[in-house]
Amino acid sequence: MKEIYSDINIVGGGLIGSVLALSLSKLDLKVTIVEKNPTYNPKKNHTDKRTVAISEGTKHFLDKLELWKDIKLFTEPIREIKVIDRKEINSLNFDNNRRHSNLGYIVRNKIILDILYKNLKKQKNIKIINNSEIKSISNLKENIKIQTQDFRIISNLNIAADGKKSFVRNLLKTPVFKKSYNKKALVLTFNHSIDHNKRAFEIFLKDGPLAILPMKKEKDNFLSSIVWTNKNNYLDALFKKNEKEIIPIINEKVSSFIGNINKIHSKQLFELTAHINTKFFEKRTIYVGDSAHSIHPIAGQGWNLGMSDVSKLFELIKKYKRLGIEVGNALFCEEYHNNVYYEAFALYQ
């Protein structure tokens, strides 16, 4: 069995894990990524139709990592958000014109991941182990050992970035607070007849909120996505309908804002739950992103909260390196927890 020695091991090569690896590579750290899925291929991995809303804070961190210059070409800025309570007469408008900045940016997950993996492949101090599942995690005296079917990875710190159903969290038995909203969210991407003019909408309806998010124009077609929260049985029935049956129902909710829907490009349905770990660390292991916390999608801030974890972790590791203090010891893990936990807990509530 092959042994690999790295400064930091990351479990999960998704959006959060990939950004984290690239940030740490800039600190001259040797990084390993363990990913359960096969090798990422942009030509094959095109089924993910989800989008993320990038906040200004996240944008600045991506810019710091020299990633934003590539990502921004595919984003649609949000210049205004209109919040409506039942009827349009009950509305508030938000913008950031005084600061000469946007309220966020909408981009497809797949595009960010393509750019991240293009950059990961250029880094000599990052090793990606694909198609590999963890068998065990063992704490040694001064490091931690990750055992897969083919590799034994020895590192100073293990970082779980393996999502909401974190295998690492389950393996280490870190306790979790959970709640269910007893509702689902329907996510649609579609083109429509009227320009959204870079405006997002948050519409609070009787049975749950509906968000309209502006996307970048494609082939001269105006494009948006919606996230609609509603009762489980209603959305289950709606999801089963064909495009011709769904469009009139959605048009009734959105046509006065963005015109009529011409074509639906993707359709997904999710159960709405939230969780937060009782703590964001174990011995020589810390949790980032969805492995640590998940929140209601109404404000589109779940990924940005994970990116806040990454940004604060980056600064903490940089500080410890500068001071010559070991990264991964008990003091480090507890300081990371104290830096990020309370922001996540406030949003979880």
Side-chain angles (χ1 to χ4, degrees):
M1 181 170 288
K2 187 176 180 181
E3 279 197 349
I4 297 173
Y5 290 86
S6 62
D7 296 306
I8 293 175
N9 179 69
I10 299 171
V11 181
L15 291 178
I16 291 292
S18 299
V19 174
L20 178 58
L22 286 167
S23 70
L24 298 181
S25 72
K26 293 185 177 295
L27 298 178
D28 294 323
L29 292 168
K30 192 175 180 181
V31 180
T32 306
I33 299 175
V34 178
E35 170 57 50
K36 68 178 181 179
N37 291 316
T39 303
Y40 182 79
N41 184 333
K43 292 181 179 178
K44 292 181 180 179
N45 297 69
H46 60 275
T47 56
D48 189 349
K49 304 295 184 181
R50 292 173 297 171
T51 60
V52 294
I54 299 176
S55 68
E56 279 289 320
T58 296
K59 184 199 91 168
H60 290 314
F61 184 64
L62 292 171
D63 200 21
K64 188 176 186 177
L65 300 179
E66 300 179 333
L67 293 169
W68 181 247
K69 65 181 186 299
D70 295 322
I71 294 172
K72 72 177 181 181
L73 300 175
F74 302 95
T75 65
E76 185 69 4
I78 300 174
R79 292 187 179 155
E80 182 183 347
I81 298 176
K82 188 167 188 174
V83 180
I84 300 163
D85 185 7
R86 308 289 178 92
K87 297 178 181 178
E88 197 166 355
I89 192 170
N90 305 317
S91 65
L92 290 171
N93 291 326
F94 296 91
D95 63 53
N96 224 359
N97 293 335
R98 286 183 303 167
R99 297 183 180 180
H100 303 289
S101 62
N102 297 303
L103 294 170
Y105 306 82
I106 303 297
V107 63
R108 292 184 187 272
N109 288 21
K110 175 191 174 297
I111 287 171
I112 302 178
L113 209 54
D114 288 351
I115 291 168
L116 292 176
Y117 268 80
K118 183 180 177 182
N119 281 273
L120 283 171
K121 290 174 182 177
K122 296 177 184 177
Q123 308 304 317
K124 293 181 179 179
N125 54 343
I126 297 177
K127 182 174 181 61
I128 304 172
I129 302 173
N130 288 107
N131 204 23
S132 191
E133 293 190 10
I134 294 172
K135 301 299 182 184
S136 66
I137 298 176
S138 307
N139 281 293
L140 307 177
K141 189 175 181 180
E142 294 181 348
N143 44 41
I144 188 166
K145 179 176 72 174
I146 311 297
Q147 189 85 40
T148 74
Q149 65 266 37
D150 300 311
F151 297 94
R152 186 180 295 118
I153 305 160
I154 311 294
S155 57
N156 295 324
L157 175 67
N158 181 48
I159 302 176
D162 55 342
K164 198 170 182 178
K165 298 179 180 179
S166 172
F167 178 83
V168 173
R169 186 183 65 229
N170 293 334
L171 189 64
L172 298 181
K173 295 180 169 56
T174 303
V176 181
F177 296 117
K178 294 180 180 179
K179 61 181 171 184
S180 173
Y181 295 97
N182 297 314
K183 289 190 175 183
K184 292 186 178 180
L186 177 68
V187 182
L188 301 176
T189 302
F190 51 84
N191 58 272
H192 47 87
S193 59
I194 297 177
D195 192 350
H196 48 57
N197 290 312
K198 308 183 189 311
R199 176 189 286 180
F201 298 87
E202 289 280 0
I203 308 163
F204 290 89
L205 303 170
K206 180 182 176 181
D207 292 316
L210 185 152
I212 307 173
L213 304 172
M215 296 176 65
K216 195 172 185 65
K217 197 174 181 181
E218 289 185 358
K219 297 179 180 178
D220 293 324
N221 291 315
F222 302 120
L223 199 67
S224 290
S225 67
I226 66 165
V227 181
W228 186 10
T229 301
N230 209 313
K231 294 176 182 177
N232 291 343
N233 56 358
Y234 179 80
L235 289 185
D236 285 338
L238 184 60
F239 189 74
K240 292 174 183 176
K241 294 181 182 294
N242 60 40
E243 183 178 57
K244 192 175 286 188
E245 293 171 315
I246 292 176
I247 285 178
I249 297 170
I250 304 300
N251 274 340
E252 184 184 344
K253 309 296 181 185
V254 306
S255 61
S256 61
F257 308 112
I258 55 174
N260 290 321
I261 297 171
N262 301 320
K263 181 175 178 56
I264 294 175
H265 297 289
S266 67
K267 179 178 68 170
Q268 295 169 296
L269 189 63
F270 300 98
E271 288 189 14
L272 288 179
T273 61
H275 85 280
I276 187 168
N277 299 6
T278 56
K279 57 180 180 176
F280 288 176
F281 70 99
E282 296 289 348
K283 188 175 181 182
R284 290 197 178 275
T285 292
I286 61 174
Y287 299 98
V288 298
D290 283 354
S291 70
H293 47 69
S294 61
I295 60 175
H296 195 288
I298 180 60
Q301 290 305 303
W303 190 62
N304 293 299
L305 184 58
M307 286 296 292
S308 177
D309 295 346
V310 172
S311 175
K312 289 175 181 176
L313 177 58
F314 173 80
E315 294 299 331
L316 184 62
I317 291 176
K318 188 163 71 170
K319 181 181 86 171
Y320 270 61
K321 278 202 71 185
R322 186 179 70 248
L323 296 174
I325 306 173
E326 179 193 0
V327 169
N329 62 20
L331 179 68
F332 173 89
C333 292
E334 190 168 348
E335 187 171 351
Y336 165 75
H337 167 90
N338 291 338
N339 285 351
V340 303
Y341 190 85
Y342 300 101
E343 180 185 6
F345 187 74
L347 288 171
Y348 171 76
Q349 289 182 309

